[in-house]
Amino acid sequence: MTAPGRRSSTFTRLLRHGFTDATSAERLLDSPELAPVRDDPVLLEALGATADPDLALRGLVRLLEAQPDPAARRKLLDTVIAAKPLRDRLLGVLGASAALGEHLARHAGDWQALAMYEPRDLHPGVEEFERGLAEAGDPVALRVAYRRCLLSIAARDVCGTTDVAETAAELADLATATLRAALRLAQAAAPEDAALCRLAVIAMGKCGGHELNYVSDVDVIFVGEAVDGADESKALKAATKLASHLMRICSETTVEGSIWPVDANLRPEGRNGPLVRTLSSHLAYYQRWAKTWEFQALLKARPVAGDRELGEQYVAALEPLVWQAAERENFVADVQKMRRRVVENIPAAEVERELKLGPGGLRDVEFAVQLLQLVHGRADASLRSGTTLDALRALAAGGYVGRADAAQLEDAYRFLRSMEHRIQLYRLRRTHLVPEDEADQRRFGRSLGLRTDPVGELNREWKRHAAVVRRLHEKLFYRPLLDAVAQLAPGEARLSPEAARERLVALGYADPASALRHLEALASGVSRKAAIQRTLLPVLLGWFADSADPDAGLLNFRKVSDALGKTPWYLRLLRDEGAAAQNLARVLSAGRLAPDLLMRAPEAVALLGDGDGGGGLEPRGRAHLEQEILAAVGRAVSGEQAVTAARGVRRRELFRTAAADIVGSYGTEDRPVEADQGALVDRVGAAVSDLTAATLAGTLRAVVRDNWGDELPTRFAVIGMGRFGGHELGYGSDADVLFVHEPREGVDEREAGQAANRVVSEMRRLLQIPSADPPLLIDADLRPEGKSGPLVRSLKSYEAYYRRWSLVWESQALLRAEPVAGDADLGRRFVELIDPLRYPARGLDDDAVREIRRLKARMESERLPRGVDPKLHAKLGPGGLSDVEWTVQLLQMRHGAAHEALRTTRTREALAAAREAGLISAENAAILDEAWVLATRVRNAVMLVRGRAGDTFPSDPRELAAVGRYLGYGPGHVGDMLDAYRRTTRRARGVVEELFYGA
């Protein structure tokens, strides 16, 4: 019977030693198996030193229960109590790995593998592991022997005898020995196949790099040749059978589980290609068809099993191709594609727990190191290591990576790999996810030596190291470029000019010499400004490289910095607000329009930094814009000064709109790419249209005030037409308008007409005066009688004309008419006048429909520019803007009188209304809407990229690539973009043929 107070005392001691379930632990300590050592303080101290004392105690009891007789149990207990090395190793493994605890319970004698180490056992290699597997005569025995070897690796790992890099190397050596043993079994099972061929197993990935995890796919490539005198096709079939059998031996699940999957998908053509190829077949594939990522994978190729001579021939033959990859024509596009971390396939709930693929994860480190190896390893053989940490140290020694950056990155990589090892060791399952369960996190934290607050410390350290990786990932590429042109501490290695040039070319810079001059101008010197630039530029260079024209981005940044460099807030804004810096990088490298607008007033950079959410890029409404412009006009002393102020506001707001459009299309770290492309189009159209209307209102106020004071002798209104009236203006659109006036009481009609004409003439003059601001062109060609008719008419004159002379095309044009400036009441009455024309009470008769179709066909044949591919003309081509708009407008004229929702000047609104009214199917409406949005975005993209309006895709490759980036197509996917455009517009044209032409 337990003495009073005894339980309480033991319970407290157990809690103090790290047990979480002290009640169960106390019960286990009272079990017959542990009775002889129950009160031995050495055992409790040793259990408390493990990652999970509860797990270690349960494992120890199960191991004791599994011993065949009392003598064996006594031997195990005596050894545990008397021999500290065994005690630490055995309990350390039992407290870190439930899976190895289960193995020991099934194979009760395997604990003796940990009882003593020979000196050679401290760092075993392939030979030692081969001896450990030598007696395995079948797949089941091989699994048991493999786990026994794994037991010793885990013991050295959890006890700190080996560090994470040494553990990873031992795991790779064990994998090598296992592949050799599996091949030996496969050859023994089919000696006739083994006699026909030579088969080499090439390790790839982490196994090839000597940095394997506890549980990971072992990536391999198989090379086969016929033995002398054998038929090659028969030899390859035999080699394929042996390779397949080897894979099954390692991968299949037996009563002892599996070892690990053998993955041969890195071979030429992946899983679609033959499992085994000859050396010449491999070489031919890599010389002709291989992609850049395949050469990246070959960085880690290492012969590990089978015919050693053939394996070495394979590596020797392919190695030169690996180091020529950076010279490939499509290397820049491939590199940019590879640099974009692929996290889309990670479930959203797992992204923050991903050690490997998540932001700041292991993949970031490995990719960065491999990319630098590809760029510089051609000229520097010291970089040609398949092991990440060895390669990182070589890069630092050669000046390709800053030493401090390399040291921080190595520390982070070691910590993250240690976490990965401990997580996989627990269940011996392939995973890279940090568990959410607090008990699991506590175990992993304790296993890494974090004992005060294991869970809190683990998460803090993990996040800190991930942040270091995330920060250094980009900096790693670009910091040495600055060091190459700046003053460094004595003895510090730097990139040679040639190495800096190679790196810039690899990252997409077409003129590396100019880029280096810009970097030198920005970052040299000892001033505070230069110091801040040296902090900013490594990240900015990465963002520039993510665009289609990095050179332009860097040049534009230098221009902005030269203009604002002495302004105290500029660099502080970029340094302290991450969103501002990334937004600026996107804007400066996306094309000509936005940088041109910014260069005219560089202080507009401030718009990019209104908080991390980019609030400064939100478009302002018409009322707000009119208020600001009218206030500026009121302060001006002359009409010219007033309109200059109004145009200045317009320039700033055009920049705001363009910047928001670019950021929404490219995305940033804080703001993903806008998923709704239609919303982007609508925002641009509404913002530019509102801005144009406000500018016209301000100009009208300035002209009237300068010539007539407070009141014009005639009421005057500006009616927006075309895209202006439809709130669909693009960056390069003219303002289509009609001008209407109505004499005030007592004013002679002739005098009123002269005043109105003078207003129009003066407005057009002021808005086109050459200046630093973009002109606003007013186009009144949609007026009655076109260019032959008067610029301004009175309301009565419009009424008389429309009643007597109006043609069907003029009624169609009036569908987009909406008052935008001037006398609101006059504008309203103009709309009342034209509504019966554009929405006829009885719809359209057959003659009117035929006339509209005839006009459309004539426009298609006469207005398309010569030499242009019609299928790629965004406005007039099949399925383009004109097709969609005329189809929608025909529906409006036919049914607008009966369906009020169709009475809108906006194309997309009218299309949605037609769908709701059942005039067009939902499928056809979606097809037309998609085509219209895409064509509009193409026009906007062309203007943003080229700085001038255009309706067709640019012919210049770099400009075309920039349009592609805006539309969401990465490097090398311009062809996909054009194919998608043709496909979308072809479908739209089919709908137009049916609905507009009645085909």
Side-chain angles (χ1 to χ4, degrees):
M1 183 175 174
T2 304
R6 171 77 176 275
R7 179 178 176 82
S8 174
S9 172
T10 304
F11 192 89
T12 303
R13 286 170 58 210
L14 289 169
L15 290 177
R16 190 169 63 247
H17 280 92
F19 287 84
T20 56
D21 186 356
T23 302
S24 296
E26 194 171 18
R27 187 171 61 252
L28 288 171
L29 286 170
D30 281 333
S31 65
E33 287 78 16
L34 285 177
V37 296
R38 187 197 189 290
D39 296 318
D40 194 316
V42 170
L43 178 61
L44 209 54
E45 291 284 347
L47 288 168
T50 65
D52 187 338
D54 300 89
L55 180 65
L57 178 57
R58 289 196 300 272
L60 179 60
V61 170
R62 288 188 66 194
L63 178 57
L64 286 166
E65 291 173 342
Q67 296 305 306
D69 53 55
R73 279 197 294 274
R74 187 73 228 180
K75 179 183 177 182
L76 171 58
L77 273 179
D78 288 347
T79 311
V80 166
I81 297 301
K84 185 178 188 306
L86 168 75
R87 184 169 62 244
D88 292 343
R89 290 192 288 268
L90 177 59
L91 296 183
V93 168
L94 291 174
S97 177
L100 288 178
E102 291 167 4
H103 170 83
L104 284 169
R106 288 198 308 274
H107 304 280
D110 279 5
W111 67 270
Q112 296 183 68
L114 305 177
M116 58 192 309
Y117 285 155
E118 298 296 332
R120 67 176 182 273
D121 293 330
L122 292 177
H123 299 290
V126 177
E127 289 183 10
E128 287 76 20
F129 289 126
E130 282 192 286
R131 282 197 295 273
L133 303 177
E135 295 182 7
D138 58 65
V140 173
L142 182 61
R143 281 152 175 69
V144 175
Y146 174 84
R147 290 290 173 93
R148 188 181 305 121
C149 293
L150 192 64
L151 193 63
S152 66
I153 294 176
R156 286 186 290 275
D157 181 13
V158 298
C159 292
T161 306
T162 54
D163 66 18
V164 66
E166 291 169 330
T167 300
E170 288 185 16
L171 289 165
D173 285 342
L174 176 56
T176 296
T178 306
L179 288 169
R180 291 178 182 178
L183 180 57
R184 187 182 70 246
L185 292 177
Q187 289 170 331
E192 67 285 357
D193 289 332
L196 283 174
C197 65
R198 301 165 62 200
L199 178 65
V201 184
I202 311 297
M204 306 287 284
K206 282 187 164 55
C207 184
H210 232 71
E211 51 190 16
L212 198 60
N213 298 328
Y214 275 103
V215 186
S216 175
D217 290 359
V218 171
D219 296 308
V220 299
I221 285 177
F222 295 106
V223 190
E225 295 287 350
V227 299
D228 291 341
D231 178 76
E232 184 176 286
S233 63
K234 291 181 180 178
L236 284 178
K237 286 181 181 178
T240 300
K241 290 179 184 177
L242 292 173
S244 299
H245 194 184
L246 178 153
M247 294 174 71
R248 290 196 304 275
I249 289 171
C250 296
S251 306
E252 285 183 345
T253 301
T254 70
V255 291
E256 288 292 339
S258 66
I259 301 177
W260 19 247
V262 176
D263 188 342
N265 287 336
L266 290 177
R267 66 186 184 269
E269 300 180 78
R271 64 184 61 204
N272 297 319
L275 183 62
V276 182
R277 289 176 184 257
T278 62
L279 177 55
S280 60
S281 176
H282 277 283
L283 196 57
Y285 173 85
Y286 284 105
Q287 287 173 333
R288 186 171 185 184
W289 303 111
K291 298 180 175 62
T292 300
W293 72 263
E294 294 179 276
F295 292 107
Q296 183 183 7
L298 285 172
L299 282 169
K300 297 183 179 292
R302 180 172 65 94
V304 292
D307 191 301
R308 183 81 186 178
E309 182 183 357
L310 179 58
E312 289 175 348
Q313 289 173 349
Y314 172 90
V315 171
L318 291 181
E319 187 177 35
L321 299 180
V322 174
W323 304 113
Q324 293 167 13
E327 301 172 5
R328 289 160 57 91
E329 183 179 350
N330 60 343
F331 181 73
V332 171
D334 288 344
V335 164
Q336 289 176 330
K337 189 189 310 177
M338 289 192 298
R339 282 185 64 252
R340 293 184 177 86
R341 185 172 38 252
V342 181
V343 297
E344 290 83 8
N345 293 328
I346 305 174
E350 296 180 358
V351 170
E352 295 302 318
R353 297 191 292 126
E354 254 284 353
L355 274 176
K356 182 178 179 181
L357 301 176
L362 291 162
R363 176 65 61 81
D364 278 355
V365 183
E366 292 160 356
F367 170 79
V369 169
Q370 290 163 21
L371 182 55
L372 289 173
Q373 286 180 279
L374 284 175
V375 172
H376 299 296
R378 177 170 56 94
D380 188 345
S382 71
L383 305 181
R384 300 177 185 180
S385 170
T387 306
T388 301
L389 291 179
D390 290 348
L392 181 58
R393 292 188 201 104
L395 287 164
Y400 304 101
V401 173
R403 290 186 185 275
D405 292 344
Q408 288 188 63
L409 208 60
E410 178 168 342
D411 286 346
Y413 186 74
R414 284 177 175 275
F415 183 84
L416 295 173
R417 282 302 301 271
S418 296
M419 279 187 71
E420 183 182 42
H421 277 188
R422 295 297 193 271
I423 290 169
Q424 293 184 350
L425 179 60
Y426 175 53
R427 290 288 187 192
L428 287 182
R429 289 178 183 165
R430 183 176 182 268
T431 180
H432 308 287
L433 288 180
V434 178
E436 295 177 293
D437 183 73
E438 187 171 311
D440 288 333
Q441 292 190 14
R442 180 177 183 274
R443 181 188 315 108
F444 301 140
R446 284 174 59 89
S447 76
L448 294 171
L450 308 173
R451 296 301 174 96
T452 306
D453 175 19
V455 175
E457 289 180 72
L458 175 71
N459 281 285
R460 283 192 295 273
E461 285 297 292
W462 170 34
K463 297 302 181 187
R464 180 176 71 82
H465 284 298
V468 166
V469 172
R470 196 172 184 180
R471 176 173 57 84
L472 291 180
H473 180 231
E474 297 285 355
K475 184 181 176 184
L476 206 65
F477 297 111
Y478 305 107
R479 169 64 66 189
L481 292 170
L482 301 185
D483 292 344
V485 298
Q487 297 297 316
L488 296 180
E492 187 78 13
R494 72 167 72 203
L495 281 182
S496 68
E498 180 61 23
R501 188 197 71 79
E502 286 178 348
R503 187 172 300 190
L504 284 164
V505 169
L507 294 164
Y509 288 81
D511 186 355
S514 294
L516 285 171
R517 285 197 299 273
H518 298 324
L519 291 177
E520 185 172 12
L522 288 163
S524 291
V526 295
S527 68
R528 182 171 176 274
K529 169 186 168 185
I532 296 176
Q533 288 280 24
R534 285 195 290 272
T535 301
L536 290 170
L537 277 165
V539 181
L540 287 169
L541 283 168
W543 288 328
F544 294 148
D546 197 35
S547 72
D549 196 349
D551 300 83
L554 180 56
L555 171 61
N556 289 330
F557 179 69
R558 181 180 176 184
K559 289 179 179 178
V560 173
S561 295
D562 287 346
L564 294 177
K566 295 181 180 179
T567 308
W569 56 264
Y570 167 61
L571 290 175
R572 188 170 64 244
L573 171 78
L574 299 185
R575 181 193 64 195
D576 297 341
E577 292 196 34
Q582 191 171 9
N583 290 345
L584 179 62
R586 293 290 185 226
V587 166
L588 293 180
S589 57
R592 296 180 183 174
L593 178 65
D596 286 351
L597 292 170
L598 182 59
M599 297 307 169
R600 293 167 180 171
E603 64 276 4
V605 165
L607 297 176
L608 301 174
D610 188 7
D612 287 343
L617 297 181
E618 290 299 317
R620 297 183 175 184
R622 182 181 299 189
H624 189 290
L625 292 169
E626 273 198 27
Q627 183 181 15
E628 181 181 3
I629 288 176
L630 291 177
V633 167
R635 291 190 296 270
V637 298
S638 69
E640 289 193 5
Q641 189 182 84
V643 175
T644 297
R647 289 174 66 181
V649 173
R650 177 171 176 265
R651 176 200 60 232
R652 183 198 70 210
E653 294 303 316
L654 276 176
F655 172 75
R656 187 198 305 271
T657 303
D661 189 16
I662 291 166
V663 170
S665 298
Y666 273 65
T668 66
E669 290 181 4
D670 298 312
R671 303 178 75 188
V673 174
E674 173 66 63
D676 185 353
Q677 304 295 296
L680 276 174
V681 165
D682 291 344
R683 276 202 294 273
V684 171
V688 178
S689 300
D690 287 347
L691 179 56
T692 301
T695 305
L696 290 177
T699 304
L700 176 59
R701 172 74 62 86
V703 169
V704 171
R705 187 195 63 184
D706 253 25
N707 293 276
W708 292 276
D710 292 334
E711 187 175 88
L712 190 65
T714 185
R715 294 182 180 85
F716 186 90
V718 182
I719 310 298
M721 299 288 286
R723 299 193 186 288
F724 187 16
H727 301 258
E728 296 162 358
L729 282 179
Y731 300 110
S733 302
D734 295 346
D736 289 319
V737 296
L738 297 178
F739 298 107
V740 57
H741 78 98
E742 183 179 62
R744 297 186 184 276
E745 292 183 15
V747 176
D748 178 69
E749 285 196 13
R750 183 177 177 186
E751 177 190 351
Q754 288 176 338
N757 273 288
R758 188 174 170 189
V759 166
V760 172
S761 175
E762 188 66 4
M763 285 179 69
R764 298 179 82 178
R765 182 186 73 83
L766 291 173
L767 288 170
Q768 295 179 53
I769 291 176
S771 76
D773 302 311
L776 175 55
L777 301 177
I778 296 176
D779 187 340
D781 288 353
L782 291 175
R783 65 188 183 269
E785 302 179 76
K787 293 181 180 179
S788 303
L791 269 175
V792 191
R793 287 178 182 263
S794 68
L795 187 62
K796 284 184 178 180
S797 175
Y798 275 108
E799 183 180 9
Y801 175 86
Y802 287 138
R803 184 175 62 248
R804 187 171 182 184
W805 304 108
S806 177
L807 301 174
V808 69
W809 74 264
E810 292 176 301
S811 298
Q812 183 182 351
L814 289 171
L815 285 167
R816 313 292 290 277
E818 181 174 293
V820 293
D823 190 292
D825 180 66
L826 179 60
R828 178 185 56 76
R829 286 186 284 127
F830 180 84
V831 168
E832 291 174 352
L833 167 67
I834 63 172
D835 269 352
L837 291 171
R838 55 185 181 175
Y839 309 122
R842 296 181 181 178
L844 293 177
D845 58 29
D846 290 343
D847 289 341
V849 171
R850 276 194 297 272
E851 176 64 10
I852 290 174
R853 288 171 176 165
R854 187 187 65 79
L855 288 170
K856 176 74 169 67
R858 177 181 168 190
M859 184 179 70
E860 288 178 11
S861 62
E862 294 180 0
R863 293 181 60 184
L864 265 171
R866 288 184 179 178
V868 169
D869 182 353
K871 293 179 181 177
L872 294 177
H873 197 282
K875 183 177 181 180
L876 301 176
L881 293 172
S882 177
D883 264 5
V884 177
E885 289 165 0
W886 281 60
T887 301
V888 172
Q889 289 162 13
L890 183 60
L891 290 172
Q892 287 180 283
M893 295 182 76
R894 278 178 152 177
H895 306 285
H899 299 279
E900 186 177 353
L902 283 172
R903 300 173 209 163
T904 174
T905 62
R906 306 178 190 222
T907 302
R908 297 188 72 210
E909 274 190 14
L911 184 55
R915 183 195 65 221
E916 290 298 317
L919 302 174
I920 181 174
S921 70
E923 180 184 4
N924 284 345
I927 289 171
L928 293 182
D929 185 70
E930 182 186 10
W932 188 89
V933 167
L934 178 58
T936 303
R937 277 180 58 74
V938 168
R939 296 180 92 207
N940 286 345
V942 170
M943 184 66 187
L944 285 170
V945 169
R946 304 181 68 191
R948 60 182 187 274
D951 294 314
T952 59
F953 289 91
S955 56
D956 178 80
R958 181 154 278 197
E959 290 180 348
L960 186 61
V963 169
R965 288 289 288 115
Y966 173 85
L967 294 177
Y969 292 88
H973 288 282
V974 163
D976 294 339
M977 170 183 70
L978 298 177
D979 288 345
Y981 181 84
R982 292 188 183 99
R983 185 167 55 250
T984 301
T985 52
R986 182 171 62 247
R987 292 171 64 208
R989 180 64 179 195
V991 176
V992 171
E993 295 281 357
E994 175 188 343
L995 296 179
F996 184 82
Y997 289 109

